Amino acid sequence: MLYKMLLAVWIFPAFFLLQNVLVSGWHFGYQPRSSSKSVSRRSFLVQVPATVAVATSMTMPSPAHSLTTDQARDQWKRSMGVIDAMLADWPTLEKKGGDAIRVELGTQGTVSPLFQIDKALRLLRDEAADLVEFTEQSEEFALTLSRADSMAYSANFAGGSGKPTPPAVYIEKSKKEVIELQRIAKSLSELL
């Protein structure tokens, strides 16, 4: 409702005023040589970007989908299940490589419940028994998730000329971070 009023009162009059100014030649000190109503190349090249700028400013972004507390709690429970499943089936993930680990971590693609888990944790912060401890643990969780992702990502590019570090080394480092991630996740769950 508000944006319709804004369009009617401000944007449409401004658009037509700008269009009239540009077509009639009152822009940037440029005066056309003839008084005809035809549009020269120069005025066209000035008019089109201005019109596009005004037209694109009229589009309103759609509101983001907000998460409810119940959805955040469900996402957290599913995330803990993914972490446990990753460690239980690590040999299979290890064979698939770093990208498979990153998919499970939610840092590549959007199918894992760990995808955008930080938003769920921010929402669950209000439910925590100890706000300060939960916030600190949430930040540690995010950092550990990032380290696990970095090691899995590095495994994709390990090897090469010289004395390369084999991908298995980075995958093992990623596993250590996922084990730490599991520990922090259990600690966070106890605070809820």
Side-chain angles (χ1 to χ4, degrees), residues 5-176:
M5 287 178 28
L6 179 67
L7 286 174
V9 174
W10 171 248
I11 303 224
F12 285 138
F15 173 76
F16 289 116
L17 177 65
L18 180 65
Q19 187 177 15
N20 288 334
V21 166
L22 292 175
V23 169
S24 64
W26 299 343
H27 51 82
F28 310 116
Y30 169 72
Q31 302 240 343
R33 291 186 183 159
S34 67
S35 62
S36 69
K37 292 288 183 180
S38 66
V39 178
S40 69
R41 248 185 301 176
R42 181 176 290 170
S43 65
F44 176 78
L45 291 174
V46 171
Q47 180 181 4
V48 170
T51 304
V52 170
V54 170
T56 56
S57 70
M58 289 191 300
T59 60
M60 301 294 276
S62 61
H65 174 69
S66 60
L67 204 60
T68 65
T69 305
D70 291 335
Q71 290 171 332
R73 190 177 304 279
D74 180 56
Q75 182 181 357
W76 176 248
K77 288 178 183 175
R78 289 184 294 124
S79 296
M80 288 189 55
V82 166
I83 294 168
D84 294 339
M86 283 178 71
L87 290 172
D89 198 26
W90 192 263
T92 305
L93 276 177
E94 190 174 18
K95 289 177 187 171
K96 291 180 182 178
D99 280 340
I101 296 168
R102 295 182 71 226
V103 167
E104 295 297 320
L105 289 173
T107 56
Q108 179 176 327
T110 60
V111 296
S112 174
L114 284 164
F115 175 69
Q116 294 185 347
I117 193 65
D118 56 322
K119 292 180 181 180
L121 288 174
R122 266 186 261 134
L123 193 60
L124 291 173
R125 185 174 30 202
D126 296 333
E127 306 278 319
D130 184 359
L131 177 66
V132 174
E133 183 65 25
F134 188 85
T135 303
E136 289 175 359
Q137 291 289 324
S138 296
E139 290 172 1
E140 189 60 35
F141 183 86
L143 290 171
T144 305
L145 181 66
S146 177
R147 286 192 304 264
D149 173 58
S150 295
M151 292 299 110
Y153 183 77
S154 296
N156 291 331
F157 300 101
S161 63
K163 294 182 179 179
T165 305
V169 171
Y170 292 107
I171 289 176
E172 187 59 33
K173 288 180 179 182
S174 182
K175 181 181 180 182
K176 289 178 183 175

